[in-house]
Amino acid sequence: MGIIVTKPCFRMKKMDSIAKKWRHLNGQNNWEGLLDPLDIDLRRYIIHYGEMAQTTYDTFNSEKASRFAGSSRYAKKDFFSKVGIDKGKPFKYFVTKYLYATSQIPVPEAFIIKSLSREAWSKESNWIGYVAVATDEGKAALGRRDIVIAWRGTVQTLEWVNDLEFNLVSASKILGPGVAGGEPKVHQGWYSIYTSDDPLSPFNKTSARDQVLAEVRRLVEEFKNEEISITLTGHSLGAAVATLNAVDIVANGLNKGCPVTAIIFASPRVGDSNFQNLFSGIKNLRVLRVRNASDIIPNYPLLGYSDVGEDLEVDTRKSKYLKSPGNPSTWHNMEAYLHGVAGTQGSRGGFKLEVNREIALVNKSTDALRDEYLVPVSWWCEKNKGMVQQVDGSWKLMDHEDDDFVL
């Protein structure tokens, strides 16, 4: 599979630079002077967290014929090696917790996939992301002990936009009364996925919210004598949930004063003006929203919602490497977003890869690269779709590493 290529001497310089200025890269000054033109260290930094968001797609089992549909293919051990972002990277992490979600309201299948098997691992829950923490080696490269929360996005086409109602519901139960009594409201779907539990599901006896907050408490306590940060990331639905999660962590003081930053991609809007006001009044919280100029999702919902955080716009239509002009699916694709970050020139116009990032990654789950580059379409897949030949010559679907459960 494609891997980011980095020369050793260049990598050491990059590590030293990012370790020294990580607070600025995390938005200490709201990324003032770093976004246009895009600072080279911030460019690498955004790609780093974007790749962690991408892993949630790369491990997710969306094969409905599998009894493990809706779960992670790979176990926590060696997770980053299995998803192909461990080699050549100075920023080392290990996964400490898997997160599972359900919904108490109907949501599109793009959010919660269900297995066709009568022996399904779960009929109520889906794997929705993970919590990871920097290793000692990663801490040295990053300049602090970084806690990452990565939320998975939608796994199908953009048709879910037409199937989703954009109702607002109160978030006061988890975020408090808001500023000057203005009750913060958020999208009902994002809120349901984040806060729903289900006593019938062994994976959601507690909600995704309760799972992630408990792990944040544990890790903040474990590393209380070190300099730490909490960084959230996600794409599409995952970006919306990451935003809600970030506000929740700081509003309820779980960060204990450490900076909390969400670096998110293709995010739909999360809440109303009261949610925006609550966000704006919170210290130690920053959100950087990366959006592709031609992607429609960041414009949704259209009415009654307000943006939060800072904006970084890229435009993949300017890339000479991609088919022109593209289509709504490729404009929304996560790997295409990272390609855009690698090459954006901001208000100067044009497109030039400033980061030596493997262009083959763009075709990992779509058909976006120009044919002349000879990269197969949607090449990221399990060998034989997980079918494994047995010693007697028969074939069996074996597409899951046991971790949180054994059936």
Side-chain angles (χ1 to χ4, degrees):
M1 69 186 62
I3 295 174
I4 295 178
V5 178
T6 313
K7 297 180 180 179
C9 63
F10 179 67
R11 184 169 69 241
M12 293 302 295
K13 291 179 181 178
K14 176 179 70 173
M15 290 168 59
D16 185 58
S17 177
I18 286 178
K20 287 180 178 178
K21 60 192 275 192
W22 72 265
R23 287 186 175 274
H24 292 285
L25 299 177
N26 262 41
Q28 183 180 49
N29 298 317
N30 293 308
W31 297 282
E32 184 177 352
L34 298 178
L35 296 176
D36 191 10
L38 184 57
D39 176 83
I40 187 62
D41 286 326
L42 181 57
R43 196 185 295 263
R44 298 185 184 109
Y45 206 67
I46 293 169
I47 289 172
H48 161 61
Y49 289 108
E51 288 178 337
M52 298 189 85
Q54 175 65 39
T55 64
T56 64
Y57 292 123
D58 295 341
T59 190
F60 188 68
N61 189 337
S62 58
E63 177 52 67
K64 294 174 70 175
S66 171
R67 63 173 176 160
F68 294 107
S71 71
S72 170
R73 292 182 184 274
Y74 309 125
K76 293 189 290 289
K77 181 182 178 182
D78 300 326
F79 175 82
F80 293 112
S81 175
K82 293 291 180 66
V83 293
I85 68 165
D86 194 43
K87 293 181 180 179
K89 297 297 185 65
F91 308 133
K92 306 292 186 182
Y93 294 79
F94 63 94
V95 176
T96 66
K97 177 76 173 178
Y98 274 172
L99 305 172
Y100 298 90
T102 187
S103 179
Q104 294 178 347
I105 66 168
V107 292
E109 192 179 57
F111 293 4
I112 304 290
I113 287 179
K114 295 185 178 181
S115 170
L116 298 175
S117 172
R118 288 179 293 180
E119 299 177 347
W121 71 283
S122 176
K123 296 187 180 299
E124 304 86 14
S125 301
N126 267 198
W127 184 89
I128 198 70
Y130 62 85
V131 182
V133 66
T135 65
D136 289 344
E137 181 183 353
K139 176 186 174 183
L142 290 157
R144 82 287 187 191
R145 185 79 66 178
D146 189 31
I147 299 167
V148 168
I149 305 167
W151 293 95
R152 176 181 61 78
T154 47
V155 294
Q156 295 182 355
T157 63
L158 301 184
E159 293 174 358
W160 62 267
V161 174
N162 299 321
D163 299 331
L164 191 65
E165 295 183 3
F166 296 124
N167 299 327
L168 287 160
V169 296
S170 172
S172 294
K173 182 178 179 181
I174 64 172
L175 302 180
V179 177
E183 182 181 46
K185 293 184 178 181
V186 299
H187 185 279
Q188 183 181 30
W190 323 149
Y191 186 81
S192 179
I193 287 171
Y194 184 56
T195 62
S196 291
D197 57 21
D198 190 330
L200 298 178
S201 171
F203 305 96
N204 276 116
K205 292 187 183 301
T206 60
S207 66
R209 175 186 187 244
D210 290 341
Q211 295 165 42
V212 71
L213 295 189
E215 187 66 0
V216 168
R217 287 190 192 96
R218 186 185 74 81
L219 291 173
V220 169
E221 174 64 22
E222 180 176 345
F223 298 109
K224 63 183 178 182
N225 295 322
E226 301 182 25
E227 190 168 29
I228 64 174
S229 63
I230 300 173
T231 312
L232 301 93
T233 189
H235 170 261
S236 195
L237 162 70
V241 176
T243 303
L244 184 56
N245 185 199
V247 176
D248 191 11
I249 288 171
V250 186
N252 288 290
L254 273 71
N255 58 318
K256 302 293 185 182
C258 82
V260 175
T261 302
I263 297 176
I264 55 176
F265 305 82
S267 180
R269 298 183 177 114
V270 177
D272 66 357
S273 59
N274 287 334
F275 177 77
Q276 182 187 56
N277 292 337
L278 174 67
F279 170 90
S280 300
I282 296 177
K283 294 182 179 180
N284 296 317
L285 173 62
R286 300 290 185 269
V287 171
L288 179 61
R289 299 189 326 273
V290 183
R291 59 176 296 158
N292 194 355
S294 47
D295 185 9
I296 64 171
I297 296 301
N299 298 322
Y300 280 81
L302 297 173
L303 301 174
Y305 287 76
S306 300
D307 290 322
V308 297
E310 304 298 321
D311 231 3
L312 171 64
E313 183 174 277
V314 301
D315 190 346
T316 56
R317 292 172 300 184
K318 296 180 179 180
S319 172
K320 67 179 182 180
Y321 302 95
L322 306 186
K323 293 177 178 177
S324 180
N327 57 64
S329 180
T330 59
W331 296 330
H332 186 63
N333 181 267
M334 182 64 199
E335 285 287 0
Y337 260 77
L338 298 184
H339 178 72
V341 173
T344 184
Q345 299 297 302
S347 60
R348 294 179 297 185
F351 189 93
K352 178 185 176 184
L353 288 178
E354 303 288 353
V355 175
N356 190 9
R357 188 161 199 278
E358 174 62 69
I359 63 170
L361 292 168
V362 176
N363 261 20
K364 185 184 280 187
S365 61
T366 191
D367 181 12
L369 276 179
R370 292 170 64 95
D371 293 339
E372 65 198 69
Y373 293 106
L374 304 178
V375 176
V377 173
S378 300
W379 56 261
W380 181 271
C381 56
E382 289 293 293
K383 182 179 180 181
N384 299 325
K385 291 192 174 181
M387 295 295 290
V388 178
Q389 190 171 32
Q390 308 300 296
V391 293
D392 64 357
S394 63
W395 291 80
K396 183 179 180 181
L397 184 57
M398 301 175 67
D399 58 353
H400 179 79
E401 295 179 354
D402 291 335
D403 193 6
D404 286 341
F405 55 97
V406 178
L407 294 182

